[in-house]
Amino acid sequence: MNLVVLTILNIFKTMKTHRLFSIYISVFILALFINCKKKEAKKNNIAEIYTNTPSLQIILDNAQLNGSILIYDIEKNIYYSNDFEWAKTGRLPASTFKIPNTIIGLETGVIANDSTKFKWDGINRSVQNWNQDLVLKNAFHYSCVPCYQKIARKIGSTRMKNYLQKLNYDKMVVNSTNIDLFWLEGDSKINQFQQIDFLKRFTNSKLPITKRTHTIMKNILVIDSTKNYTISGKTGWSIRNNANNGWFVGYIKKKDKMYYFATNITPKPTFNMGLFPSIRKIITYNALKELNYIIE
């Protein structure tokens, strides 16, 4: 029999005075409060569910890719993936690091505001979009490496390390010799679960940053907006020992619901590398459609 019910029965069996009645009522209220708190705690600590999703592997196979697509439904507390072991393995963040780099730049004042312009230095580079003056949002979406190297150098290794620790983005290996390269080469690592955790803390205003920085960053992150959903995120691409590794991380907002994703891929020998810049987004969108998080 429920503890609360037993308490009520005991009250009426043993009640003899008004004072005793008052004591038992107090005990009853306390028992009810504790019982409710236990139920609330149990509800708020639901274990995360990991669901192996073969259809996501099919998406990768059809695209001639190896890797993992990780999608998190925060309302259901369910992670979906084709390969959870891959998703737990740390890799260079590449240009996904432009998210914390922008945040730290804004927090330190190295980036003044969302109208900050990066002057082209006149050096012609292989990415045509970099060979021009760029405002912050374009520098972010064009993944302008020289722009963000300039930001990192101005921040400096000491402030960079301090802010990364504050943001709990602390698997980066940073020093004065690699301050403008540590996210592209070396021993810095982040995995797909950590990417989603960082984005979750960002969207829920759990990062120790100003509201102004949060608002600017939130606007910069938007990639695609329709009447049904808004997708925000960042791609990344690193080449290490002639091996290509690609990222697409972000979140989708549908009315009051949020879903997070972190895709990490490498090409199979048969893959056409000319498609690598676009394929990261394509397969992630396909995965979101497969799980009915995007409905056109």
Side-chain angles (χ1 to χ4, degrees):
M1 191 179 292
N2 187 285
L3 178 62
V4 176
V5 176
L6 287 173
T7 304
I8 295 172
L9 290 174
N10 288 332
I11 288 173
F12 290 103
K13 284 180 182 178
T14 58
M15 183 175 60
K16 293 181 179 178
T17 66
H18 289 294
R19 186 181 176 201
L20 193 58
F21 176 73
S22 178
I23 292 171
Y24 276 116
I25 286 296
S26 297
V27 171
F28 168 70
I29 292 171
L30 180 62
L32 187 62
F33 175 78
I34 292 171
N35 196 48
C36 289
K37 281 293 180 184
K38 285 181 178 179
K39 286 182 178 179
E40 182 182 349
K42 186 176 181 181
K43 181 180 178 181
N44 291 337
N45 287 285
I46 299 172
E48 293 170 345
I49 301 169
Y50 297 83
T51 302
N52 186 50
T53 314
S55 59
L56 303 187
Q57 184 63 51
I58 293 172
I59 290 171
L60 287 170
D61 289 340
N62 289 341
Q64 298 298 302
L65 298 166
N66 294 313
S68 170
I69 301 171
L70 182 67
I71 296 174
Y72 178 55
D73 185 327
I74 192 168
E75 185 176 58
K76 296 179 181 177
N77 207 17
I78 298 177
Y79 282 98
Y80 300 93
S81 182
N82 60 294
D83 190 336
F84 285 105
E85 288 307 310
W86 186 294
K88 292 175 185 176
T89 303
R91 293 174 173 83
L92 284 165
S95 282
T96 66
F97 186 74
K98 286 182 173 64
I99 301 174
N101 203 358
T102 305
I103 289 172
I104 297 168
L106 288 164
E107 288 291 287
T108 57
V110 168
I111 302 172
N113 50 52
D114 53 0
S115 298
T116 294
K117 183 178 286 187
F118 299 91
K119 296 286 291 183
W120 178 40
D121 58 12
I123 300 173
N124 281 297
R125 297 179 172 86
S126 59
V127 181
Q128 191 58 41
N129 283 329
W130 298 355
N131 301 327
Q132 59 182 317
D133 295 347
L134 294 170
V135 295
L136 179 61
K137 186 167 186 175
N138 289 338
F140 181 86
H141 284 288
Y142 293 156
S143 274
C144 180
V145 170
C147 299
Y148 274 84
Q149 287 180 314
K150 186 183 295 184
I151 292 169
R153 286 192 293 265
K154 286 185 177 180
I155 292 169
S157 59
T158 300
R159 284 197 295 180
M160 184 69 81
K161 284 191 287 188
N162 289 341
Y163 269 94
L164 288 173
Q165 188 172 20
K166 281 176 61 177
L167 297 173
N168 195 22
Y169 200 106
D170 56 0
K171 299 299 182 183
M172 302 297 102
V173 180
V174 188
N175 56 55
S176 60
T177 66
N178 71 353
I179 183 60
D180 57 2
L181 283 172
F182 67 88
W183 63 91
L184 292 170
E185 60 183 49
D187 297 322
S188 297
K189 291 180 180 180
I190 190 167
N191 67 40
Q192 290 164 259
F193 284 96
Q194 291 165 336
Q195 293 271 26
I196 287 177
D197 175 71
F198 182 75
L199 291 169
K200 187 170 62 173
R201 288 186 288 119
F202 169 74
T203 57
N204 290 318
S205 300
K206 299 297 183 182
L207 295 180
I209 60 177
T210 64
K211 185 176 180 180
R212 174 179 176 272
T213 294
H214 185 271
T215 300
I216 292 172
M217 192 71 241
K218 184 179 176 182
N219 291 335
I220 288 172
L221 278 164
V222 174
I223 293 173
D224 190 12
S225 186
T226 74
K227 63 180 182 180
N228 297 319
Y229 60 82
T230 299
I231 291 184
S232 302
K234 185 71 191 76
T235 56
W237 184 352
S238 65
I239 303 174
R240 192 174 190 180
N241 299 323
N242 295 317
N244 292 272
N245 186 267
W247 285 102
F248 184 34
V249 305
Y251 52 90
I252 176 170
K253 182 174 175 60
K254 292 174 62 178
K255 296 183 180 178
D256 60 340
K257 297 183 185 297
M258 296 283 290
Y259 310 98
Y260 299 83
F261 57 84
T263 295
N264 184 267
I265 55 170
T266 61
K268 292 182 179 180
T270 52
F271 181 78
N272 176 4
M273 283 304 298
L275 301 175
F276 203 66
S278 60
I279 199 67
R280 296 161 291 174
K281 287 184 181 179
I282 291 171
I283 60 170
T284 304
Y285 275 55
N286 287 342
L288 291 167
K289 290 175 185 176
E290 178 68 25
L291 296 176
N292 292 318
Y293 292 143
I294 292 179
I295 300 175
E296 301 293 354

